[in-house]
């Protein structure tokens, strides 16, 4: 049991003496390596025989699953089969499957404890996991192993073998019980643990770490409401709470025994009032909350390895003040509880005001502190010297959000463990590695000194000391470059209020810094971090191009395509999902007409599935013409709404197409004649804007306003349709992405770090229209220039173009001027003609920072090329799709994790 006493150094999950540990507790939590001498010293003979007799077994047959299912319905849920609806069926199915995972999870953790390998801890403020049940059914190992296993007595036990497909087995078992697996799966809400690409990348990585047998844990926060649920009302985004935990979460294991106190505010005390800040100090906090652990098992594919994702929830040390309640102060009697719980209430609290900034910083420190104390506790159990900490532990910082973990580890080592300051700092630098996700200065996290020092006074002292020694080293190396010290300092002095540059702190406190695509990694070295490359040299900076897990984004999202690939490659065990290089064999079928027909039929079925979803979201009204769905190009852009991602360029292109069609009709052309130049097309958008991001929310409104006009214009019939999918999330992406013919990845060159949705679309047999930005560069290299539609200016031209916009009058392209004229005159906002003026002015009057005008003509010309190939050379289009999938294997997250393990973490799989 974790102590919750008032001193930070009293954080231990279990007594230090093995003799004090109850046998049952030790059996469940694993053994210390020094204890594994004799099984008799752990469990006596009588107990061992009982353990052997009653050990919980995994289900491997449909009947076993049904028994487990009924047990959970009647005992765990307290229902009968006569009162079991789809929700109860989902909960019982999830609990039954989770039982299997927990058995493997316990064995995995015990294996890691006994072998004591180097472990990886992945710190991410987002884990966009999506639905867990379907993913578990794909990854879960239910086969009976032929290898000899050892039971608790040490005896060898033979296991028979039977390779089965868990999803098919449970589908059949549920059918016998009167339920449909598809209906059961639909009951699960998306876990509200992330926002966009950052969280989805983290989810792919924990999947691949489990699959690759890497001893790893993820650490994040258990948000009560997620970011927000998006509703579209009169075309506007409206944020509502995301009640994803309304019915609990069948996949988590609440660890009430793991409670770690986290301190805020207060002051720093030293026995010698004039003593050095480098000496051990005592931080006397004035507010304390508890971090309670919730574990989420993460199964690997074709392995019984199950890793752990540990999420922290904030709770008060005292929930209820009876004295205040009895005195009639009802509101303040629960104030401490509400104040604590607000820390993990929602993802990324709005920081447009001071209290929001403080809450976000609180959130980050709470998570980093709890995670670091948990990691240190686990290390101390091994009895190893502190010098071996970086030998045994690798901590990866996913973006700047967990940078406080560096400072917290330094505080733990110096203040609580009494290590020399410089030895502690050496341990920190060799433990941490930092992944950067942006090249935009405005996206790099900074914290005002006044706010930071008020909330975390001891940490501010440590950051000052880190910066002092770092700048001394810089000055020694470059004694004549005074400006360098100002540019490279962790403390930014030039702003109206001094601020802490968290990205700079992450670089100084890490032994490796990586970008997430080749172009991005080069850009950070030549732009935002050029001074650090000058000081450290290029060896500290490396690249690991992002990837995605094919288990979810091919097998789960697109089962029909996965089955076609498996059949075509004569791969019934779907080994290609582990070795994506096997997909290259598809290339020899690219010209095969029969295979192309099968491929096209899969795409057609996926389009119908998406049309069904859109109809459901549109209150049963069909927007898409079902009769011509096979010849309608599905053009999709789904991602976070942001000016740099340029959804505005896409919707301006839609308006251009609409006006061109209207002009042809007005000039006497028939629909048949128009359709030869502008064939049927549906433009599909989806994504959330940050609540305080006015321009992004205006883009959403424009998309919906254009949809209102275009979709209701009988004159153009069904040549163009526009759809905005509300509440875009992982489960919707699994339907949207497989239906794509063309996906848009059109960020201003040099602004997108990598992108992972581009990889998902290609893996599902869609083609890309995109700029030469992020991972589009490497996708082009892998699949070939003939199989991607690139347009626009290159990143090396961006600064010059922006300069010209700023200081020289630029004439807008004629076609874009016409589009903006119609946006300004109220065609799409008759009740408020000036509504979209800020979007127009950003291009006309405010420098067009994202270069919409510079890329517009190129974009339109490339879209016309897309039309030509899709509608006039359909066989050639399908061939391009097949070749793209055949060469997408490089973008598996398994490859990413292997690169991290080899080049950054220095960690080996434990098989």
């Amino acid at each position: 049991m974790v102590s919750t006493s008032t001193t930070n150094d009293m954080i231990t999950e279990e007594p230090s003496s093995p003799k004090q540990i109850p046998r049952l507790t030790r059996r469940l939590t694993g053994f210390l390596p020094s204890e594994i001498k004799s099984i008799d010293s752990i469990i006596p003979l009588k107990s061992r025989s009982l353990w052997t007799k009653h050990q919980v077994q995994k289900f491997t047959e449909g009947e076993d699953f049904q028994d487990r299912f009924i047990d959970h319905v009647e005992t765990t849920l307290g229902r009968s089969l006569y009162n079991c609806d789809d929700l109860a069926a989902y909960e019982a199915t999830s609990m039954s499957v989770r039982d299997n995972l927990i058995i493997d999870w316990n064995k995995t953790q015990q294996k890691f404890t006994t072998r004591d390998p180097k472990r990886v801890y992945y710190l991410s403020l987002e884990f966009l996991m999506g639905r867990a049940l379907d993913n578990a059914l794909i990854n879960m190992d239910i086969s009976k192993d032929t290898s000899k296993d050892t039971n608790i007595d040490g005896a060898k036990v033979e296991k028979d073998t039977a390779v089965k497909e868990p999803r098919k087995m449970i589908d059949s078992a549920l059918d016998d019980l009167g339920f449909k697996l598809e209906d059961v799966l639909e009951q699960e809400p998306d876990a509200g643990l992330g926002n966009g690409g950052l969280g989805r990348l983290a989810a792919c990585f924990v999947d691949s770490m489990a699959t690759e047998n890497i001893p790893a844990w993820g650490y994040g926060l258990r948000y009560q409401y997620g970011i927000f649920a998006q509703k579209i009302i009169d075309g506007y985004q409206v944020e509502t709470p995301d009640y994803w935990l309304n019915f609990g979460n069948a996949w988590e294991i609440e660890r009430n025994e793991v409670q770690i106190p986290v301190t805020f505010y207060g002051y720093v005390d030293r026995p010698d009032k004039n003593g050095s800040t480098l000496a051990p100090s005592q931080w006397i906090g004035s507010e304390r909350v508890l971090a309670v652990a919730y574990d989420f098992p993460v199964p690997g594919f074709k392995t019984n390895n199950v890793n752990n994702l540990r999420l922290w929830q904030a709770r008060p040390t005292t929930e209820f003040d009876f004295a205040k309640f009895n005195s009639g102060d009802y509101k303040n009697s629960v104030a401490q509880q509400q104040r604590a719980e607000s820390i993990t209430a929602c993802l990324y609290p709005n920081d447009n005001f001071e209290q929001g900034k403080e809450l976000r910083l609180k959130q980050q420190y709470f998570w980093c502190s709890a995670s670091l104390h948990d990691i240190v506790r686990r290390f101390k159990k091994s009895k190893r010297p502190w010098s071996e900490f970086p030998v045994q532990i690798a901590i990866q910082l996913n973006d700047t959000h967990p940078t406080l973990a560096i400072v917290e580890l330094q505080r733990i080592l110096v203040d609580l463990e009494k290590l020399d300051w410089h030895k502690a700092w050496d341990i920190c630098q060799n433990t941490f590695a930092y992944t950067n996700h942006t090249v935009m200065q405005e996206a790099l996290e900074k914290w005002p000194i006044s706010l930071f020092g008020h909330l975390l006074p001891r940490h501010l002292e440590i950051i000052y000391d880190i910066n002092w020694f770092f700048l001394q080293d810089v000055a020694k190396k470059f004694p004549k470059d005074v400006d360098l010290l100002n540019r490279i300092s962790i403390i930014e002095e030039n702003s109206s209020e001094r601020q802490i540059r968290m990205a700079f702190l992450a670089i100084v406190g890490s032994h490796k810094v990586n970008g997430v695509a080749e172009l991005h990694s080069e850009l950070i070295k030549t732009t935002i971090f050029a001074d650090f490359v000058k000081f450290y040299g290029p060896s500290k900076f490396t690249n690991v191009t992002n990837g995605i897990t094919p288990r979810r984004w091919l097998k789960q999202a697109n089962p029909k395509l996965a089955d076609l690939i498996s059949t075509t490659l004569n791969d019934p065990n779907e080994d290609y999902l582990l070795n994506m290089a096997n997909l290259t064999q598809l290339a020899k079928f690219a010209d095969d007409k029969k295979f192309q027909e099968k491929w096209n039929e899969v795409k057609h079925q996926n389009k119908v599935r998406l049309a069904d979803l859109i109809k459901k979201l549109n209150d049963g009204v069909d927007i898409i013409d079902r009769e011509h769905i096979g010849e309608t190009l599905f053009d999709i852009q789904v991602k976070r709404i942001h000016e740099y991602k340029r959804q505005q360029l896409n919707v301006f292109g839609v308006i251009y197409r609409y006006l061109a069609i209207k002009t042809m009709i007005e000039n006497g052309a028939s629909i048949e004649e128009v359709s030869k130049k502008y064939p049927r097309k549906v433009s599909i958008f989806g994504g959330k804007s940050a609540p305080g991001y006015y321009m992004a929310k205006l883009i959403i409104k424009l998309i919906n306003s254009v949809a209102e006009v275009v979709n209701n214009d009988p004159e153009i019939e069904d040549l163009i349709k526009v759809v905005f999918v509300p509440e875009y999330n992982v489960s919707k992406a699994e339907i949207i992405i497989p239906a794509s013919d063309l996906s848009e990845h059109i960020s201003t060159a040099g602004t997108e770090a990598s992108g992972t949705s581009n990889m998902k679309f290609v893996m599902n047999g869609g083609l890309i229209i995109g700029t030469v930005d992020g991972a589009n560069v490497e996708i082009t290299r892998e699949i070939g220039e003939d199989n991607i539609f690139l347009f626009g200016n290159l990143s090396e031209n961006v600064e010059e173009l922006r300069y010209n916009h700023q200081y020289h009058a630029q004439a807008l392209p004629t076609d874009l001027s016409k589009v903006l004229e119609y946006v300004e005159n109220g065609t799409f906002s008759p009740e408020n003609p000036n509504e979209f003026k800020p979007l127009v002015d950003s291009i006309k009057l405010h420098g067009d920072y994202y270069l919409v005008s510079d890329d517009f003509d190129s974009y339109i010309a490339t879209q016309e090329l897309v039309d030509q190939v899709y509608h006039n050379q359909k066989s050639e289009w399908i061939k391009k799709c097949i070749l793209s999938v055949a060469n997408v294997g490089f973008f598996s997250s398994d490859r990413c994790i292997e690169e991290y393990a080899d080049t950054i973490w220095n960690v080996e799989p434990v098989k």
Side-chain angles (χ1 to χ4, degrees):
M1 185 73 175
V2 174
S3 167
T4 57
S5 62
T6 56
T7 54
N8 272 345
D9 57 346
M10 292 294 291
I11 299 172
T12 53
E13 186 173 330
E14 54 197 53
S16 58
S17 170
K19 293 181 181 179
Q20 293 176 280
I21 307 172
R23 292 191 184 95
L24 180 59
T25 303
R26 292 171 66 197
R27 174 70 182 101
L28 295 177
T29 58
F31 313 116
L32 299 179
S34 59
E35 293 180 73
I36 310 300
K37 295 177 180 177
S38 167
I39 198 77
D40 295 315
S41 66
I42 299 171
I43 299 177
L45 182 61
K46 179 180 178 181
S47 298
R48 269 187 286 144
S49 62
L50 288 172
W51 272 102
T52 307
K53 181 178 179 181
H54 295 292
Q55 262 190 318
V56 179
Q57 298 295 322
K58 295 196 299 181
F59 66 78
T60 58
E61 305 289 346
E63 292 181 0
D64 297 338
F65 164 77
Q66 290 169 345
D67 290 342
R68 191 78 59 88
F69 176 96
I70 293 169
D71 285 346
H72 278 300
V73 169
E74 294 189 332
T75 58
T76 310
L77 302 178
R79 297 200 187 197
S80 71
L81 287 177
Y82 300 102
N83 183 30
C84 183
D85 55 13
D86 285 341
L87 176 61
Y90 157 71
E91 292 176 320
T93 302
S94 297
M95 291 172 183
S96 301
V97 172
R98 196 192 74 171
D99 288 348
N100 267 24
L101 297 187
I102 290 175
I103 293 168
D104 281 340
W105 184 91
N106 279 325
K107 291 179 180 178
T108 301
Q109 302 313 311
Q110 183 173 312
K111 172 180 64 179
F112 292 162
T113 302
T114 54
R115 296 192 188 182
D116 199 22
K118 184 173 186 178
R119 299 195 194 206
V120 175
Y121 296 103
Y122 195 82
L123 270 59
S124 178
L125 203 50
E126 298 184 35
F127 286 93
L128 200 57
M129 302 300 289
R131 290 172 172 169
L133 177 55
D134 206 6
N135 188 66
L137 294 181
I138 288 170
N139 280 13
M140 185 176 64
D141 176 29
I142 61 168
S143 60
K144 293 182 179 178
D145 195 355
T146 54
S147 64
K148 293 190 182 275
D149 199 11
T150 306
N151 69 10
I152 201 166
D153 280 312
K156 298 294 184 180
V157 179
E158 286 282 356
K159 294 184 176 180
D160 59 339
T161 182
V163 178
K164 306 182 187 71
E165 174 109 25
R167 199 180 192 282
K168 291 179 180 177
M169 183 192 79
I170 289 178
D171 189 1
S172 175
L174 282 173
D175 189 61
D176 291 343
L177 289 165
F179 298 97
K180 295 295 182 186
L181 179 58
E182 289 72 20
D183 297 334
V184 169
L185 294 173
E186 281 298 311
Q187 300 302 309
E188 181 176 2
D190 277 48
L193 300 174
N195 173 30
L198 183 82
R200 190 51 240 171
L201 177 74
C204 287
F205 278 6
V206 294
D207 175 275
S208 285
M209 284 188 278
T211 298
E212 294 289 309
N213 298 294
I214 301 291
W217 279 35
Y219 277 106
L221 289 179
R222 182 182 184 265
Y223 304 104
Q224 187 175 358
Y225 298 112
I227 181 168
F228 60 82
Q230 181 192 55
K231 294 186 182 300
I232 302 298
I233 300 176
D234 296 329
Y236 297 98
Q237 170 180 294
V238 176
E239 300 90 10
T240 61
D242 175 15
Y243 297 107
W244 76 281
L245 285 171
N246 254 8
F247 299 102
N249 181 6
W251 294 97
E252 65 188 13
I253 306 157
E254 186 176 4
R255 303 288 192 192
N256 280 313
E257 73 276 13
V258 182
Q259 298 186 1
I260 296 178
V262 179
T263 300
F264 301 106
Y265 307 111
Y267 61 95
V268 181
D269 184 45
R270 276 180 283 275
D272 181 356
K273 300 302 180 184
N274 298 317
S276 169
T277 56
L278 304 182
S281 305
Q282 186 176 10
W283 174 21
I284 311 296
S286 63
E287 181 178 307
R288 168 160 294 189
V289 298
L290 296 177
V292 180
Y294 287 76
D295 288 345
F296 188 107
V298 181
F301 181 68
K302 289 187 181 292
T303 174
N304 57 15
N305 193 73
V306 178
N307 281 351
N308 193 44
L309 172 59
R310 175 158 284 184
L311 306 174
W312 300 106
Q313 184 180 61
R315 290 186 191 167
T317 52
T318 304
E319 293 190 4
F320 191 74
D321 190 326
F322 272 106
K324 288 181 179 178
F325 182 82
N326 290 333
S327 67
D329 190 359
Y330 306 123
K331 180 179 177 181
N332 288 326
S333 66
V334 292
Q336 186 178 357
Q337 177 182 355
Q338 293 170 340
R339 186 174 172 84
E341 290 176 351
S342 68
I343 295 173
T344 50
C346 68
L347 170 68
Y348 291 5
N350 193 340
D351 67 350
N352 289 346
F353 50 93
E354 192 64 22
Q355 292 91 339
K357 282 186 171 65
E358 182 175 305
L359 183 56
R360 185 179 292 193
L361 183 57
K362 248 185 174 181
Q363 189 178 72
Q364 292 184 7
Y365 176 66
F366 169 84
W367 155 56
C368 291
S369 177
S371 302
L372 259 294
H373 282 287
D374 202 39
I375 293 167
V376 167
R377 171 198 57 79
R378 196 170 295 113
F379 172 78
K380 289 175 72 174
K381 286 166 60 178
S382 70
K383 309 298 184 185
R384 290 174 178 268
W386 284 108
S387 59
E388 294 186 18
F389 192 87
V391 177
Q392 290 299 107
I393 291 169
I395 302 176
Q396 189 70 33
L397 308 176
N398 191 29
D399 212 351
T400 54
H401 308 128
T403 305
L404 279 170
I406 297 172
V407 192
E408 178 69 354
L409 180 58
Q410 181 74 359
R411 187 185 74 84
I412 291 171
L413 296 178
V414 172
D415 290 356
L416 305 186
E417 302 299 335
K418 314 303 182 187
L419 267 66
D420 171 75
W421 199 97
H422 296 285
K423 288 182 180 178
W425 183 239
D426 185 63
I427 290 171
C428 287
Q429 286 182 306
N430 286 296
T431 299
F432 289 97
Y434 160 52
T435 300
N436 172 271
H437 286 276
T438 185
V439 295
M440 295 188 289
Q441 283 282 1
E442 62 270 23
L444 295 176
E445 225 176 8
K446 299 175 185 177
W447 292 109
I449 290 288
S450 58
L451 168 64
F452 196 97
H454 175 58
L455 187 70
L456 304 168
R458 177 56 178 151
H459 296 75
L460 182 59
E461 289 184 349
I462 292 171
I463 289 173
Y464 279 145
D465 288 333
I466 292 169
N467 197 43
W468 168 256
F469 289 114
F470 170 62
L471 292 181
Q472 279 191 325
D473 291 340
V474 174
K476 288 176 185 176
K477 192 168 184 179
F478 301 99
K480 297 181 180 180
D481 194 346
V482 179
D483 288 341
L484 177 62
L485 295 179
N486 184 50
R487 296 197 309 270
I488 208 170
S489 172
I490 295 170
I491 309 298
E492 183 179 72
E493 307 281 357
N494 298 334
S495 55
S496 57
E497 181 180 3
R498 298 164 73 218
Q499 300 192 86
I500 301 170
R501 297 159 161 161
M502 300 306 282
F504 287 16
L505 177 59
I507 294 171
V508 174
S510 299
H511 65 93
K512 277 288 184 184
V513 178
N514 73 280
V516 289
E518 285 180 1
L519 176 63
H520 169 240
S521 296
E522 285 304 310
L523 283 173
I524 62 174
K525 288 195 289 185
T526 56
T527 57
I528 56 175
F529 300 147
D531 290 324
F532 287 95
V533 175
K534 180 179 179 181
F535 174 68
Y536 285 113
S539 61
K540 183 165 183 168
F541 297 83
T542 188
N543 173 66
V544 182
T545 299
N546 282 344
I548 58 174
T549 167
R551 273 77 64 181
R552 181 179 286 271
W553 293 111
L554 182 53
K555 170 70 174 173
Q556 181 174 329
N558 202 342
K560 289 182 173 21
L561 182 60
D563 288 344
L564 177 61
I565 292 171
S566 180
T567 302
T568 304
L569 299 184
N570 192 25
D571 183 9
N573 292 326
E574 298 179 313
D575 291 330
Y576 72 89
L577 294 173
L578 285 174
N579 185 1
M580 293 289 280
N582 293 353
L583 288 177
T584 55
Q585 299 173 51
L586 286 175
K588 59 188 176 186
F589 299 97
D591 290 307
D592 187 317
K593 298 302 180 187
K594 290 186 177 178
F595 182 68
Q596 285 189 358
E597 288 175 9
K598 293 177 182 177
W599 187 278
N600 199 41
E601 177 57 27
V602 168
K603 182 64 71 175
H604 185 274
Q605 292 179 43
N606 288 332
K607 286 182 173 182
V608 171
R609 186 171 62 147
L610 175 54
D612 290 340
L613 173 65
I614 292 170
K615 180 179 179 179
K616 179 181 176 182
L617 295 173
N618 199 45
D619 297 324
V621 178
D622 245 334
I623 296 177
I624 299 171
D625 179 7
R626 298 301 183 100
E627 184 181 349
H628 299 98
I629 201 168
E631 62 200 66
T632 301
L633 188 146
F634 278 40
D635 182 333
I636 300 175
Q637 187 179 20
V638 284
K639 53 186 72 207
R640 189 162 45 92
I641 309 295
H642 198 293
E643 288 171 279
Y644 88 82
K645 293 181 183 289
R646 298 203 297 190
Q647 286 90 352
Q648 68 272 34
L649 174 60
N650 187 346
V651 74
F652 289 158
V654 172
I655 295 171
Y656 167 83
R657 191 182 187 94
Y658 171 68
L659 296 176
I661 291 172
K662 293 285 285 184
T663 300
M664 287 186 71
I665 293 173
E666 288 169 4
N667 290 335
S670 67
I671 285 293
E672 289 72 21
E673 290 171 324
V674 175
S675 67
K676 291 179 181 178
K677 182 170 177 59
Y678 297 107
R680 297 177 185 279
K681 182 177 182 179
V682 54
S683 291
I684 299 169
F685 297 83
K688 296 180 180 181
S689 159
Y693 192 173
Y694 173 75
M695 292 294 277
K697 297 178 93 167
L698 198 57
I699 291 170
I700 293 174
K701 171 58 176 171
L702 177 60
I703 293 168
N704 285 294
S705 296
V706 170
E708 183 70 21
V709 172
V710 170
N711 295 349
N712 293 295
D713 188 337
E715 195 174 41
I716 67 168
E717 297 188 3
D718 290 314
L719 290 185
I720 312 182
K721 294 293 182 183
V722 181
V723 177
F724 188 91
V725 178
E727 186 60 11
Y728 177 65
N729 55 24
V730 175
S731 55
K732 285 190 175 75
E734 290 168 7
I735 297 174
I736 293 169
I737 291 172
S740 153
D741 292 308
L742 185 75
S743 62
E744 308 228 2
H745 308 277
I746 57 177
S747 53
T748 308
T751 58
E752 184 72 81
S754 166
T756 52
S757 67
N758 45 8
M759 304 168 191
K760 294 164 194 168
F761 280 102
V762 172
M763 192 175 285
N764 280 273
L767 300 186
I768 285 176
I769 181 170
T771 48
V772 184
D773 194 31
N776 285 354
V777 176
E778 288 148 286
I779 290 174
T780 303
R781 184 184 66 202
E782 294 295 320
I783 70 175
E785 291 185 18
D786 293 339
N787 302 317
I788 189 170
F789 297 94
L790 296 176
F791 73 93
N793 286 278
L794 302 180
S795 59
E796 50 262 39
N797 302 327
V798 167
E799 288 308 316
E800 181 182 352
L801 291 168
R802 284 175 176 161
Y803 178 86
N804 289 336
H805 282 300
Q806 197 73 29
Y807 297 103
H808 304 287
Q810 302 283 309
L812 294 180
T814 303
D815 291 331
L816 178 60
S817 293
K818 185 178 180 182
V819 167
L820 296 182
E821 178 187 333
Y822 275 82
V823 173
E824 277 188 295
N825 68 16
T827 299
F828 304 104
S829 54
E831 295 180 1
N832 183 8
N834 293 321
E835 181 164 22
F836 302 117
K837 192 173 188 301
L839 283 175
V840 176
D841 287 350
S842 71
I843 297 171
K844 282 186 172 182
L845 305 177
H846 302 313
D848 191 14
Y849 187 79
Y850 296 104
L851 308 185
V852 172
S853 60
D854 298 277
D855 287 348
F856 186 78
D857 283 347
S858 175
Y859 176 70
I860 295 301
T862 307
Q863 283 283 12
E864 290 175 353
L865 177 61
V866 167
D867 285 335
Q868 179 185 338
V869 178
Y870 183 81
H871 293 283
N872 300 330
Q873 306 170 41
K874 194 60 180 288
S875 178
E876 184 65 22
W877 181 278
I878 297 173
K879 178 181 177 180
K880 290 176 183 289
C881 296
I882 295 169
L883 290 174
S884 296
V885 175
N887 293 288
V888 78
F890 176 79
F891 301 100
S892 167
S893 51
D894 295 349
R895 184 267 313 156
C896 293
I897 292 306
E898 289 173 4
E899 288 188 22
Y900 274 104
D902 291 342
T903 64
I904 296 177
W905 300 333
N906 191 29
V907 66
E908 295 286 339
V910 178
K911 297 184 179 180

